[in-house]
Amino acid sequence: MSSPVRTIRSDARIEDAKLVLASERVSALAVVSPSGKLVGVVSTTDVCDPRHDDPLAAVEMAMTRVLYAVRPDDPATAAVRLMVREAIHRVLVVTEAGGLVGIVTSMDVLRAIADRAGEDTATELVRVGH
């Protein structure tokens, strides 16, 4: 899990989301309402979609409103299974009250596999990709 999660307000501009995504080197931002409630996720794919070509439009126009989440005490495999079942690249980690704790991304999962496999196995995995 990555924490803290980068957030952006739903009334921010798509242009601002692009800048934050690039400067923070993340693939998605949690979207919060002006009152701070978690309302969606906006990814680099969302903000680069030609349907959202107005950089001054609000982030809420491009964000995904469906939130896929697990609880902090859930096993890591719950997040992985959810990502596979829903064909998504990230799962939010939220408390019972809806508080944002973290995010599990595909890269987090790969990093954990590589760390557990050890340096030799990770090197071999890289060689296979050539």
Side-chain angles (χ1 to χ4, degrees):
M1 173 179 86
S2 298
S3 183
V5 180
R6 306 305 191 273
T7 62
I8 193 163
R9 282 179 38 150
S10 58
D11 58 354
R13 298 176 305 175
I14 290 175
E15 180 178 276
D16 297 329
K18 286 181 180 180
L19 291 171
V20 173
L21 288 162
S23 67
E24 296 290 328
R25 294 183 171 186
V26 294
S27 62
L29 303 168
V31 181
V32 295
S33 70
S35 65
K37 179 183 176 197
L38 184 61
V39 294
V41 174
V42 67
S43 70
T44 52
T45 303
D46 296 327
V47 298
C48 292
D49 187 322
R51 294 175 294 172
H52 309 296
D53 63 352
D54 180 1
L56 302 179
V59 166
E60 66 188 345
M61 301 305 293
M63 73 181 190
T64 301
R65 287 172 166 71
V66 177
L67 297 173
Y68 293 100
V70 294
R71 303 281 183 231
D73 293 336
D74 287 343
T77 54
V80 173
R81 285 188 182 113
L82 184 56
M83 286 191 280
V84 169
R85 185 178 70 233
E86 299 298 331
I88 56 177
H89 299 281
R90 63 198 54 83
V91 174
L92 298 172
V93 181
V94 298
T95 64
E96 286 290 327
L100 185 59
V101 175
I103 189 168
V104 178
T105 67
S106 303
M107 188 56 68
D108 292 327
V109 173
L110 290 172
R111 191 175 295 113
I113 290 169
D115 287 349
R116 285 188 178 247
E119 189 65 34
D120 293 336
T121 305
T123 301
E124 291 303 315
L125 289 172
V126 171
R127 288 186 187 147
V128 171
H130 279 48

